Amino acid sequence: MGQNLQSGERLRPVDLARGHGLSTQAIRNYEEAGILPAAARTPHGYRTYTPLHAQALRAFLALVPGHGHQTATSIMRAVNEGAVDEALHLIDESHAQLLDDRRTLQAVERALRSLGPAAASGPEAASEPIAASGPAGRFIGPLAGELGIRPATLRKWERAGLVHPRRDPLTGYRVYDEAAVRDARLVHQLRRGGYLLEQIAPLITQVREAGGPEPLQATLRDWHGRLSARGRAMLAGAAELEAYLRERG
């Protein structure tokens, strides 16, 4: 490994930076973060890089769009420390997350297909009494547990106008009927898809007012596109990382 770093063409930080629109400080930061292997030094203390460093930089920049900056950094650091299995494990986790996000999108589409005019929920229905037990009523704790979130999150969504639970007439506890459960699931799925509460609110309002999922079709197409772009970015990152692994020997 040390031999590889010392042999071949010598590159300055600016040589690495120039082709990628980066600053020389960014190159030094990447080295300090373990994204690039440690550089050799001249007798005067200047860093010198090699084509191996250039390939490491290409691999990192190719990994970022598919895996994110933090995970890409961890992958490169693991490779440079000789922990290739750890790097592959991180890549596997990213692919698993992408698959989970695809399943989430499918769940959102299924949820939207179930929407209809009769299922609309809103403040006008909040005063209608509903039993706290039975298939149409659920307390906040069990619903939060089903979604894998905290009850405080459901209360936050309620304050944002995204979910409208009723109140049990005897206890005053929040009770989520079928429509409120559906809205909570839809909000949860959209949040997992990367949407902010302020982006979700008009979508749910439009669906309620329109009585169907049509207003969300453009959003769903965009979501499909982003997942596909991420998958292709992972392929591109894998190719550059494999080239770096081969060059490391």
Side-chain angles (χ1 to χ4, degrees), residues 86-177:
E86 180 182 340
L88 296 176
H89 178 75
L90 291 169
I91 291 170
D92 290 343
E93 286 183 336
S94 281
H95 281 281
Q97 183 61 59
L98 177 60
L99 178 59
D100 191 48
D101 289 345
R102 289 190 186 280
R103 288 171 174 161
T104 296
L105 174 55
Q106 293 171 351
V108 170
E109 291 174 323
R110 286 194 299 269
L112 290 175
R113 283 195 293 270
S114 72
L115 296 178
S121 63
E124 67 280 1
S127 60
E128 297 177 13
I130 181 172
S133 60
R138 205 168 311 181
F139 286 125
I140 190 170
L143 179 57
E146 177 185 324
L147 296 176
I149 60 177
R150 296 178 302 163
T153 300
L154 280 170
R155 290 192 287 269
K156 180 179 179 180
W157 294 350
E158 180 183 350
R159 291 193 298 272
L162 303 179
V163 181
H164 300 289
R166 300 174 181 177
R167 293 283 182 165
D168 181 87
L170 298 178
T171 65
Y173 293 154
R174 292 173 174 83
V175 179
Y176 296 79
D177 62 12

Side-chain angles (χ1 to χ4, degrees), residues 102 105-106 109 219-229:
R102 289 190 186 280
L105 174 55
Q106 293 171 351
E109 291 174 323
T219 297
L220 294 176
R221 284 194 298 271
D222 174 67
W223 194 350
H224 272 291
R226 287 189 288 117
L227 290 180
S228 294

Side-chain angles (χ1 to χ4, degrees), residues 74-89:
S74 298
I75 291 169
M76 293 302 297
R77 185 182 296 126
V79 168
N80 291 328
E81 291 174 353
V84 176
D85 283 346
E86 180 182 340
L88 296 176
H89 178 75

Side-chain angles (χ1 to χ4, degrees), residues 2-91:
Q3 211 170 27
N4 285 339
L5 289 176
Q6 299 296 333
S7 64
E9 181 186 358
R10 287 190 174 188
L11 303 171
R12 301 166 299 169
V14 68
D15 296 323
L16 292 184
R18 186 183 293 124
H20 301 283
L22 300 172
S23 67
T24 55
Q25 184 59 52
I27 299 300
R28 290 190 287 269
N29 291 343
Y30 287 164
E31 181 189 345
E32 291 172 4
I35 294 168
L36 304 180
R41 297 276 185 159
T42 69
H44 299 288
Y46 295 110
R47 290 177 172 86
T48 61
Y49 298 103
T50 69
L52 181 68
H53 293 88
Q55 182 58 52
L57 180 60
R58 285 193 294 271
F60 171 70
L61 296 177
L63 287 167
V64 169
H67 299 271
H69 193 281
Q70 181 176 347
T71 299
T73 298
S74 298
I75 291 169
M76 293 302 297
R77 185 182 296 126
V79 168
N80 291 328
E81 291 174 353
V84 176
D85 283 346
E86 180 182 340
L88 296 176
H89 178 75
L90 291 169
I91 291 170

